[in-house]
Amino acid sequence: RMGTSHDDDDDVDDCVDVSHAKTLARLSDESLPTFDTPKQEDDYGWDRSWQWQTCAEFGFYQTCEDASSCLFRAPALSPPPLSLASFVDVCVAVFGANASAVAAAPGITNERYGGWRPGSTRVLFASGSIDPWRALSLTPDRSVNEEWLPTMMVEGASHHAWTHPARAGDQKSVVDAREAIAARVDAWLREGPMDEEEEGEEDAARGARGARGDVRFVRDVS
């Protein structure tokens, strides 16, 4: 169990259970909350959906296998605790996936949605400059079409900081980002439906995506 610290709360019982076995058990829970048996706040219902996406769609596992000073690399441990295999093992245990399907999933997803040239319009790609996830987003230095797929880099911001409830101490770049995003959405709504020329441009963009594909996992229950 790992202790956590809050502003004015040093309750020794306020801990996070880091048991791998319990995590797998909770991720494997397929039950849904009901009015009689609501889920608790610390249940993994949301995490199960996210885990499924990583296994079946895009992977993007943050590993520490390289010879680096990564905090969680733990070179004395074999195998390393955050190896690629350790993440794939979760896919196998929870969803009955196999390594080859997990490895193929990102390529299928990129083919379906266009990769670095997504076949979509009126999508704003906002990224934080200190967010590692920006590596998977269109950014000002990796832009396709600023008219149809505008990008924004929020300086000094972490992972989607602008989507959190506003606070008095929010940094200016985050405040400005919220205002810019709202202004962009308002402008698109005022424009209304796209005209035929615009729809043609969108169809052309969609045509570049290629054939669609899907990843399906079948659990062996024999």
Side-chain angles (χ1 to χ4, degrees):
R1 294 171 66 83
M2 180 184 298
T4 60
S5 175
H6 301 283
D7 294 340
D8 298 311
D9 184 5
D10 293 326
D11 187 348
V12 295
D13 292 329
D14 189 8
C15 296
V16 176
D17 195 328
V18 294
S19 165
H20 183 63
K22 289 184 178 179
T23 296
L24 290 181
R26 298 178 75 175
L27 286 174
S28 300
D29 181 3
E30 300 179 4
S31 64
L32 297 174
T34 66
F35 289 109
D36 298 325
T37 59
K39 289 279 189 180
Q40 299 301 312
E41 289 185 2
D42 61 347
D43 278 342
Y44 279 51
W46 63 271
D47 207 15
R48 177 178 167 83
S49 299
W50 169 254
Q51 192 69 47
W52 166 260
Q53 283 189 285
T54 68
C55 296
E57 294 183 4
F58 45 71
F60 195 53
Y61 301 119
Q62 292 85 60
T63 64
C64 291
E65 295 175 292
D66 296 335
S68 68
S69 57
C70 177
L71 176 63
F72 301 105
R73 182 167 173 263
L77 300 179
S78 181
L82 289 183
S83 65
L84 178 59
S86 69
F87 288 101
V88 175
D89 287 346
V90 174
C91 299
V92 174
V94 175
F95 301 112
N98 58 71
S100 60
V102 176
I108 294 173
T109 298
N110 284 332
E111 183 180 19
R112 178 171 186 174
Y113 294 105
W116 291 118
R117 300 189 65 83
S120 56
T121 56
R122 290 178 174 174
V123 178
L124 171 59
F125 291 82
S127 302
S129 66
I130 61 173
D131 178 12
W133 286 84
R134 72 186 186 281
L136 290 187
S137 177
L138 294 181
T139 56
D141 61 347
R142 189 169 53 227
S143 176
V144 175
N145 186 318
E146 283 295 322
E147 179 181 3
W148 298 114
L149 299 170
T151 61
M152 174 190 302
M153 184 63 71
V154 185
E155 290 300 321
S158 59
H159 196 45
H160 60 76
W162 48 91
T163 66
H164 301 312
R167 298 180 301 178
D170 286 341
Q171 61 194 53
K172 185 176 185 301
S173 63
V174 172
V175 175
D176 291 345
R178 291 192 185 107
E179 295 177 353
I181 292 170
R184 173 71 72 164
V185 173
D186 286 344
W188 281 335
L189 292 174
R190 287 195 300 270
E191 290 174 5
M194 293 185 295
D195 57 31
E196 292 184 2
E197 180 179 353
E198 293 170 336
E199 289 178 351
E201 293 180 17
E202 183 183 27
D203 290 340
R206 284 204 180 107
R209 288 193 299 192
R212 290 192 171 188
D214 294 285
V215 174
R216 299 182 184 274
F217 297 149
V218 179
R219 184 182 296 276
D220 183 0
V221 295
S222 59

